[in-house]
Amino acid sequence: IQPRMSSAGDGEDGGGAAADTVVLEITDAAASPSSAPPPPPIPVSALAAPLPSPTVLAVRADRSRLIESSSYFRALLGGSFSESGSGYVRISCDLAAAVQVLRYLFEPPASFAISHHNFLPLLEGALFLAVESLLVDCERWFRTVRSRNPSMVVPLDFIIEAWYFAPKHGVTFVEDVCPGYLAQNFVQVISSRSFVHIPYDLLCSTIESPNLTVDSEKQLCEAILSWVSASRQSCEQSVSNSADNQLSLLSKVRVCLLPLGFAAGTKRNCFEFGNNAVCMILNLLKDSLQTLLHTVTDDNLDSYRIRLTEYSKKIVLSGCPQLTTQFLYISALPTDLDAVFKRTIVSDVNDGCLNHYNGLVKKAKTLSFRNVRIVDLSKCPNVHFGAVILWMKWTFPELRTFIASYCLLFQFEDLQCLLLRCPWINEINLSIDTSIILSKYSIISSRSEVRRDVNRNLSSYYMQSGLYGTSGNPVFSNISKLILEGRNDITDMNLLEISMLKSSLCYINIKHCTLLTDDDSFSYHKDEHAHVMAFRLQELHLEGCEGISCAAMSQLVSNMNIVKSLCLRETSLADGALCNFVGSSLEYLDISETVVSMVSLAPVIRRNSNLSCLKTAGCRNLLFEQGEVQSTSGNKYGRFLQEITSTCYLEDVEMGWAFCPVRVDDLIPSFSKVRRMTVGLGTTLPENILHALPEICPFLESLVLRFQVISDRVVRNLLESSTNLQVLCLHYCLGNLTSFSFQTMAPALRILRLQWVTPWITNDDLTILTQNCNLVELLLSGCKLLDTSSQEIISSGWPNLACLQLEECGQITLDGVDSILDCKALEEVLLRHTGRGIGRTIITDAIRELPLLRKLALDLCDASEGGYDTPNVPEGKMMRSVRMSRCKKSAAAARSCFGEASSSSSNRKPVQHRETIVLEWSSRQLTTTVVEERL
């Protein structure tokens, strides 16, 4: 802005004005010239009120104060200019900036403060009017914004505006502060809509800052990719500059710390980066120790360090099978350690000697990060959890939540050690995949053997202090939430040991811990109430715990008065027990596959108006007038749908029997907040309701339909109108679907399961699907037109696929499974009746090639050599189960999936699968079971 000064002339001096007062007529430099007379002068004290004119202002101000505070006014009013003796002076500048400066000079400090709302006008005004004290105050305020509070306190838009402002006006301190400020608040920054508008040089400087704070390297990479995508769509940069910037930013990502599945997924849009990332991760899996030793020698450990800063609150390393204990320790070591000592730590930290770790850490003076509250090591099978626990104890003294889901080798003794070493933790999640062998199956044979790759039992080290097992031990007073889902090696003895947490434990999930019976017959157990924690529980998940008796269930339910989340799916729950439940705080209730009726369920629904999740699939007794108990006098109840729509506003609903709406109005407004819906056997939704689901449930994210009548009209409308839909599962549905259903973009869709509903799918249809949605899970059944080329379409179209299930899908595996094994992120694979081309070593090959693989299901009919080799010691440590189904043999079809039929017959009938061989690994053993049916 070019200043313009002029005198009003002798005739306009305002002779009545006091000698120490001057009238400043300030015209906004950006306004068009006007011949209108200036407004009457106002006092400085009136500047806080709305201005009389947006373009021109006359204000009376103290001449001495102006001269004293501003070099500009000192020269103008006290120098040799003609205006020095005038009582009326005109200036042209930014009006808003001038007003803010005058308020700063004349208002009391208590009533005027610098904020992000007025900072830039103040700074611009201070620069133009040369107010030195204001320049100092502006710099002080801007620098203290960063240090005052570790959480973001000013909007990102303001930072971006300040960054653009600084170089135009020669302000250097803004450029000094902005990158560090954004770096320490990066987690909040990337959630802002303005993130994609950050200029390249500012983003680059932010990422290079030593204070860059992210929850994970994945979070950083996602942010960069979203910024790059937005910059491609804008016209601000040339194509070449955009490509160079993309490469420059992505080069700052520590690729070796990316989750394998995420790295594979980046191949869809950034193939070269994603492919290089996957290759680096796979190479680390082969020999990370030698890689780290070479890196120490070259003094280049930074690219292998987890980003830890004083501002870190959460550390998420989930899905990184390449991660070893060494990565954790080198990230917490001071950077100034000599190379020899670093090599010692890298070499020795994995030897399993916990006492050795103590010595190493004391000598190295491990850094401490007191703000970290959450650590997530899920799907990290190659870390030594004894060492991890000590690492967390030293490095994160204020840790509150530890997550290690799908870490099969984490043993109960490790849990005991964790409770002892880190007593401040209050949430622990150790869930794994649930066992596929249920009590309802007929077992032909079963045998177990100890895993050879199991960690050395460290219980003697854990227990040496004698603290664990002491009833009422104060070190266990913090643990409130414990998730052991799927841990079917947890016994009643372990449950008794957990019961010492009764004074603090409020949330417990022991779904499918099938060995638990809640048996209290241990003769040495003196505290008869130690197992009853129910009175203080707020969350209890017992799904699949069929060993709990009806009497124990009734006692348990009757004591849960404040529970908010209750899952009793596939248990012995009956009306007698549910009638004893008197709680009124329920938000989540799952009683699916039980024998309860409306007699007991209706009162529960009526009492719990905050219920947002209700799952009752498979509850056939909901259809009946009465259950096993008589309705009490006056306890009348209506239809199931009538009860829930008159009481609840559901977000998650799973319905089967007795759920029969006949009008759209039946579901509005109680279903207007539904995000997840499952409708199964026992009810039929008419087409008009299915078509109206996007309107009925505008926030719908997941829809599972079983045995429903569907059409192109319904499916197409769901994909087009339910913009938040991430999960679509169609199981055994009737209707005439065509390829038209899926010829529309569904960018949010991640899981697609089409079970016996799309026999017409061809490779062309698969290709269209890969273009329209980015799936992580795909299930196809009965798609007999697919062939060996389908593998390549699937693996290249969805490189981040985590789950792939193909059944009765033509001849996909006729030439082997090479392309399927190229999907390095796969965690679950099912191949049944897909072509006899699967080699004998498929199990070993899959475990070696797919580092995250946990579940593998095969069919002996597809074996090219008649069977599969079954290893006891898998190279990967994540394997939970391998299933091999076997067809019924007959004289005419000894090795065929099909029964006897003449050679001219085109309608061969599938033979029932009579047996399934199941290999199931737990934390300690491998169990081989033969089940008399297909699983």
Side-chain angles (χ1 to χ4, degrees):
I1 299 172
Q2 296 298 323
R4 177 175 59 86
M5 302 176 292
S6 65
S7 171
D10 295 340
E12 298 177 14
D13 281 350
D20 60 349
T21 300
V22 63
V23 175
L24 301 176
E25 181 185 316
I26 308 171
T27 303
D28 193 89
S32 301
S34 173
S35 59
I42 62 173
V44 170
S45 60
L47 292 178
L51 299 180
S53 170
T55 60
V56 63
L57 174 71
V59 59
R60 289 191 300 273
D62 183 270
R63 181 189 295 267
S64 299
R65 176 71 64 85
L66 292 174
I67 293 174
E68 176 186 345
S69 304
S70 165
S71 299
Y72 176 93
F73 286 117
R74 191 176 307 129
L76 180 65
L77 302 177
S80 59
F81 289 102
S82 59
E83 291 87 347
S84 60
S86 174
Y88 198 102
V89 176
R90 292 194 180 107
I91 61 175
S92 178
C93 64
D94 184 283
L95 180 60
V99 168
Q100 292 298 325
V101 171
L102 291 175
R103 291 187 61 194
Y104 167 82
L105 293 177
F106 291 98
E107 288 187 16
S111 62
F112 182 84
I114 300 176
S115 71
H116 68 270
H117 297 292
N118 62 13
F119 171 79
L120 289 178
L122 277 172
L123 185 57
E124 182 175 0
L127 289 168
F128 178 76
L129 299 175
V131 183
E132 292 82 0
S133 62
L134 180 54
L135 288 172
V136 172
D137 285 349
C138 283
E139 179 174 357
R140 181 186 299 113
W141 177 86
F142 199 75
R143 291 188 182 279
T144 56
V145 162
R146 175 181 171 183
S147 59
R148 192 185 320 164
N149 195 321
S151 61
M152 196 167 185
V153 294
V154 296
L156 179 57
D157 287 336
F158 164 73
I159 297 293
I160 295 174
E161 189 178 359
W163 181 263
Y164 281 123
F165 174 92
K168 294 178 181 178
H169 297 81
V171 179
T172 58
F173 68 83
V174 169
E175 296 180 349
D176 294 339
V177 173
C178 284
Y181 178 75
L182 294 186
Q184 73 186 47
N185 295 287
F186 200 71
V187 175
Q188 291 82 15
V189 168
I190 60 179
S191 64
S192 169
R193 292 183 179 180
S194 301
F195 172 73
V196 295
H197 301 304
I198 295 178
Y200 167 76
D201 51 351
L202 175 56
L203 180 59
C204 193
S205 299
T206 298
I207 296 173
E208 292 174 345
S209 170
N211 288 321
L212 180 64
T213 303
V214 290
D215 295 343
S216 65
E217 204 66 20
K218 171 188 173 183
Q219 189 178 55
L220 172 61
C221 191
E222 282 180 325
I224 292 175
L225 290 174
S226 69
W227 186 92
V228 168
S229 177
S231 69
R232 285 175 177 170
Q233 298 172 13
S234 70
C235 300
E236 297 177 3
Q237 303 181 64
S238 66
V239 175
S240 59
N241 285 341
S242 178
D244 292 342
N245 292 347
Q246 172 184 342
L247 294 175
S248 176
L249 290 172
L250 288 176
S251 68
K252 304 179 189 303
V253 175
R254 298 176 182 178
V255 172
C256 61
L257 299 177
L258 290 176
L260 177 56
F262 172 79
T266 61
K267 292 166 67 175
R268 275 180 65 96
N269 299 313
C270 296
F271 180 82
E272 184 177 356
F273 170 80
N275 192 57
N276 291 338
V278 170
C279 290
M280 179 178 289
I281 291 171
L282 295 179
N283 287 335
L284 276 174
L285 277 163
K286 294 176 183 177
D287 194 349
S288 63
L289 178 58
Q290 288 303 316
T291 301
L292 289 176
L293 288 175
H294 288 312
T295 304
V296 170
T297 302
D298 298 337
D299 196 23
N300 188 29
L301 274 179
D302 282 349
S303 57
Y304 297 90
R305 286 178 179 269
I306 301 163
R307 296 183 194 268
L308 292 173
T309 73
E310 60 180 301
Y311 309 103
S312 297
K313 296 180 180 179
K314 182 189 297 184
I315 306 299
V316 179
L317 302 168
S318 177
C320 296
Q322 74 276 16
L323 198 73
T324 62
T325 313
Q326 291 98 327
F327 283 83
L328 308 181
Y329 275 75
I330 63 175
S331 302
L333 294 176
T335 56
D336 57 355
L337 286 180
D338 63 84
V340 174
F341 191 66
K342 289 178 182 177
R343 285 182 63 88
T344 301
I345 292 178
V346 171
S347 301
D348 298 347
V349 80
N350 206 37
D351 65 1
C353 179
L354 301 186
N355 286 315
H356 188 46
Y357 297 156
N358 276 314
L360 285 176
V361 174
K362 289 178 180 178
K363 185 177 180 181
K365 297 181 180 179
T366 309
L367 300 177
S368 179
F369 303 91
R370 306 193 70 88
N371 287 319
V372 173
R373 296 293 185 270
I374 300 174
V375 170
D376 186 351
L377 290 175
S378 301
K379 302 177 188 177
C380 294
N382 290 311
V383 297
H384 186 290
F385 282 103
V388 167
I389 292 168
L390 292 181
W391 171 71
M392 293 192 300
K393 173 187 176 182
W394 295 317
T395 311
F396 310 124
E398 300 294 333
L399 187 67
R400 294 295 180 266
T401 300
F402 176 60
I403 305 172
S405 56
Y406 304 106
C407 293
L408 192 62
L409 294 183
F410 195 103
Q411 301 174 16
F412 189 78
E413 288 82 3
D414 294 316
L415 173 60
Q416 293 173 309
C417 177
L418 179 61
L419 294 174
L420 278 170
R421 300 291 170 189
C422 306
W424 48 85
I425 287 183
N426 55 32
E427 293 187 18
I428 301 173
N429 184 345
L430 304 176
S431 59
I432 60 173
D433 293 301
T434 58
S435 173
I436 59 175
I437 301 177
L438 305 180
S439 59
K440 64 182 180 182
Y441 298 147
S442 299
I443 307 297
I444 298 176
S445 65
S446 182
R447 62 182 176 85
S448 300
E449 51 190 304
V450 176
R451 293 183 65 137
R452 298 175 195 169
D453 60 342
V454 69
N455 286 342
R456 179 171 59 88
N457 191 328
L458 302 173
S459 59
S460 60
Y461 180 84
Y462 300 156
M463 307 294 285
Q464 65 184 5
S465 64
L467 292 175
Y468 197 88
T470 304
S471 181
N473 189 340
V475 301
F476 302 113
S477 60
N478 290 321
I479 183 69
S480 62
K481 187 170 186 175
L482 182 60
I483 301 176
L484 300 173
E485 180 175 340
R487 297 271 172 181
N488 59 330
D489 51 357
I490 297 290
T491 64
D492 282 332
M493 175 69 74
N494 300 141
L495 188 61
L496 267 179
E497 294 172 342
I498 293 172
S499 71
M500 75 169 59
L501 307 174
K502 64 180 181 180
S503 62
S504 62
L505 196 61
C506 299
Y507 305 84
I508 184 166
N509 181 339
I510 47 178
K511 285 183 178 180
H512 288 282
C513 294
T514 52
L515 293 183
L516 297 180
T517 65
D518 206 26
D519 183 8
D520 194 32
S521 59
F522 299 102
S523 58
Y524 61 86
H525 188 236
K526 298 180 180 180
D527 185 358
E528 62 180 1
H529 300 294
H531 72 292
V532 181
M533 298 178 286
F535 70 95
R536 63 178 296 111
L537 285 179
Q538 297 185 44
E539 180 176 325
L540 177 63
H541 288 210
L542 294 176
E543 177 182 339
C545 295
E546 299 176 348
I548 300 177
S549 67
C550 293
M553 181 65 71
S554 183
Q555 181 186 12
L556 183 66
V557 170
S558 65
N559 283 281
M560 292 188 294
N561 298 331
I562 62 172
V563 66
K564 294 181 179 179
S565 179
L566 182 59
C567 177
L568 302 175
R569 190 186 192 108
E570 297 178 18
T571 66
S572 60
L573 182 70
D575 280 338
L578 192 56
C579 282
N580 290 333
F581 179 73
V582 296
S584 58
S585 303
L586 275 180
E587 298 172 4
Y588 177 105
L589 177 62
D590 186 352
I591 55 170
S592 300
E593 306 296 338
T594 62
V595 295
V596 299
S597 73
M598 285 299 294
V599 172
S600 58
L601 182 58
V604 173
I605 294 175
R606 291 173 182 173
R607 277 198 313 272
N608 293 272
S609 58
N610 291 326
L611 199 63
S612 61
C613 174
L614 180 60
K615 299 185 178 183
T616 62
C619 295
R620 293 173 177 264
N621 284 355
L622 293 179
L623 289 170
F624 303 149
E625 291 290 332
Q626 295 183 11
E628 64 179 48
V629 296
Q630 294 294 323
S631 176
T632 58
S633 177
N635 183 20
K636 303 296 183 181
Y637 54 86
R639 294 182 301 115
F640 181 37
L641 184 60
Q642 177 185 338
E643 291 291 346
I644 60 176
T645 55
S646 63
T647 306
C648 309
Y649 283 86
L650 298 174
E651 296 181 15
D652 190 349
V653 59
E654 188 171 323
M655 302 297 182
W657 301 98
F659 179 65
C660 298
V662 293
R663 299 177 304 166
V664 173
D665 293 344
D666 290 342
L667 303 178
I668 300 177
S670 60
F671 277 48
S672 61
K673 296 182 179 180
V674 166
R675 296 181 181 274
R676 294 169 294 278
M677 176 184 288
T678 298
V679 181
L681 187 64
T683 191
T684 300
L685 292 182
E687 185 183 24
N688 68 313
I689 288 184
L690 289 173
H691 187 268
L693 278 180
E695 176 186 352
I696 297 171
C697 312
F699 305 107
L700 192 65
E701 297 174 359
S702 173
L703 178 63
V704 180
L705 300 177
R706 293 188 175 93
F707 302 101
Q708 303 299 304
V709 180
I710 56 177
S711 65
D712 281 343
R713 175 173 174 263
V714 167
V715 175
R716 183 75 177 234
N717 186 57
L718 280 168
L719 294 176
E720 290 179 342
S721 303
S722 296
T723 55
N724 297 315
L725 192 66
Q726 300 176 30
V727 180
L728 178 62
C729 305
L730 306 176
H731 302 282
Y732 305 101
C733 292
L734 304 176
N736 295 318
L737 289 186
T738 68
S739 59
F740 177 75
S741 295
F742 300 97
Q743 292 176 357
T744 183
M745 294 295 293
L749 195 66
R750 294 295 176 266
I751 297 176
L752 180 63
R753 300 175 185 167
L754 303 174
Q755 193 167 16
W756 300 102
V757 293
T758 53
W760 41 262
I761 280 187
T762 64
N763 286 339
D764 289 340
D765 297 320
L766 269 183
T767 301
I768 292 173
L769 269 177
T770 63
Q771 296 167 354
N772 289 340
C773 52
N774 182 15
L775 299 181
V776 296
E777 183 173 327
L778 175 66
L779 183 156
L780 297 175
S781 294
C783 304
K784 296 182 179 294
L785 300 180
L786 300 181
D787 57 29
T788 54
S789 300
S790 306
Q791 279 193 51
E792 172 61 25
I793 295 172
I794 291 172
S795 63
S796 60
W798 297 302
N800 55 331
L801 210 58
C803 176
L804 177 63
Q805 299 187 27
L806 303 173
E807 183 175 9
E808 300 287 354
C809 285
Q811 299 296 313
I812 289 182
T813 59
L814 188 62
D815 294 335
V817 293
D818 289 348
S819 292
I820 291 178
L821 296 182
D822 285 339
C823 293
K824 299 302 181 181
L826 279 172
E827 302 175 18
E828 181 176 352
V829 177
L830 182 148
L831 301 171
R832 282 181 174 163
H833 293 184
T834 53
R836 185 173 297 161
I838 302 179
R840 174 173 288 278
T841 59
I842 176 60
I843 299 176
T844 302
D845 294 343
I847 292 172
R848 183 182 63 253
E849 296 293 331
L850 306 175
L852 294 171
L853 187 66
R854 303 194 313 273
K855 295 190 287 185
L856 177 63
L858 303 167
D859 200 303
L860 292 176
C861 304
D862 297 322
S864 61
E865 301 174 62
Y868 307 116
D869 296 334
T870 55
N872 174 30
V873 185
E875 293 181 28
K877 300 173 183 178
M878 292 196 65
M879 282 304 299
R880 176 61 165 149
S881 65
V882 173
R883 289 176 283 164
M884 293 172 283
S885 297
R886 182 162 53 197
C887 290
K888 178 182 179 181
K889 294 183 179 180
S890 66
R895 292 181 57 197
S896 174
C897 307
F898 301 96
E900 300 178 14
S902 64
S903 59
S904 61
S905 174
S906 61
N907 296 318
R908 298 178 295 175
K909 296 181 179 179
V911 172
Q912 292 183 345
H913 289 68
R914 293 298 185 184
E915 295 176 349
T916 300
I917 303 170
V918 180
L919 308 178
E920 190 168 85
W921 285 267
S922 69
S923 63
R924 296 189 178 280
Q925 63 185 21
L926 164 63
T927 302
T928 303
T929 306
V930 180
V931 181
E932 194 178 2
E933 57 188 286
R934 184 180 187 178
L935 301 182

